[in-house]
């Protein structure tokens, strides 16, 4: 099965640091006005998904949720979670005090990959 999301070693290390401080985490990527399309990291349950939102995968035991409309637009793309030294838009994400920002790089799946994608979970 082809994963829909993966993370760089730097992103995985930051997730581990945040988990030590905050416990279980979750990611949510909305595509709205405040956060743009920047992924946000919250304590698990710290953000309420909407009906139809999509969990595209799990990184370090942390679910990565995407807004249902954003998923519809990007469902043919592989996400790579990375981290950069920057102050993110809005400052809501847990990495902000560390002067880090999670970021996504996208690439389109090949035809062969599309045939073997991991299933997603829909929030009901």
């Amino acid at each position: 099965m082809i994963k829909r999301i993966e993370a760089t070693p730097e992103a995985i290390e930051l997730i581990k640091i945040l988990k030590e401080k905050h416990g279980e985490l979750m990611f949510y990527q909305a595509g709205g006005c405040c956060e743009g399309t920047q992924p946000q990291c919250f304590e698990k349950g710290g953000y309420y998904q909407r009906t139809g939102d999509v969990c595209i995968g799990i990184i370090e035991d942390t679910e990565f949720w995407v807004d249902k409309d954003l998923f519809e637009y990007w469902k043919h793309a592989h996400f790579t979670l990375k981290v950069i030294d920057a102050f993110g838009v809005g400052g809501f994400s847990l990495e902000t005090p560390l002067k880090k920002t999670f970021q996504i790089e996208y690439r389109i799946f090949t035809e062969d990959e599309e045939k073997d994608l991991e299933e997603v979970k829909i929030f009901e």
Side-chain angles (χ1 to χ4, degrees), residues 67-122:
D67 171 86
K68 63 183 178 180
D69 297 326
L70 187 64
F71 177 74
E72 190 59 34
Y73 186 74
W74 284 108
K75 67 184 173 185
H76 300 290
H78 178 271
F79 288 43
T80 300
L81 181 67
K82 61 186 234 176
V83 65
I84 59 172
D85 292 326
F87 182 80
V89 179
F92 303 118
S93 196
L94 292 175
E95 78 280 3
T96 301
L98 302 175
K99 298 181 181 171
K100 303 283 185 187
T101 298
F102 285 109
Q103 189 178 61
I104 291 291
E105 286 185 355
Y106 304 94
R107 71 168 176 78
I108 303 302
F109 289 118
T110 66
E111 283 185 39
D112 287 340
E113 288 175 323
E114 285 270 357
K115 296 173 187 173
D116 196 31
L117 290 174
E118 281 187 336
E119 292 293 316
V120 297
K121 178 169 77 172
I122 309 292

Side-chain angles (χ1 to χ4, degrees), residues 10-22 25 38 41 83-88 91-102:
E10 296 82 9
I12 289 170
E13 183 60 31
L14 183 54
I15 291 168
K16 289 177 181 178
I17 291 167
L18 294 173
K19 285 174 83 171
E20 283 182 24
K21 184 173 184 176
H22 300 282
L25 305 173
Q38 174 184 326
C41 183
V83 65
I84 59 172
D85 292 326
F87 182 80
F92 303 118
S93 196
L94 292 175
E95 78 280 3
T96 301
L98 302 175
K99 298 181 181 171
K100 303 283 185 187
T101 298
F102 285 109

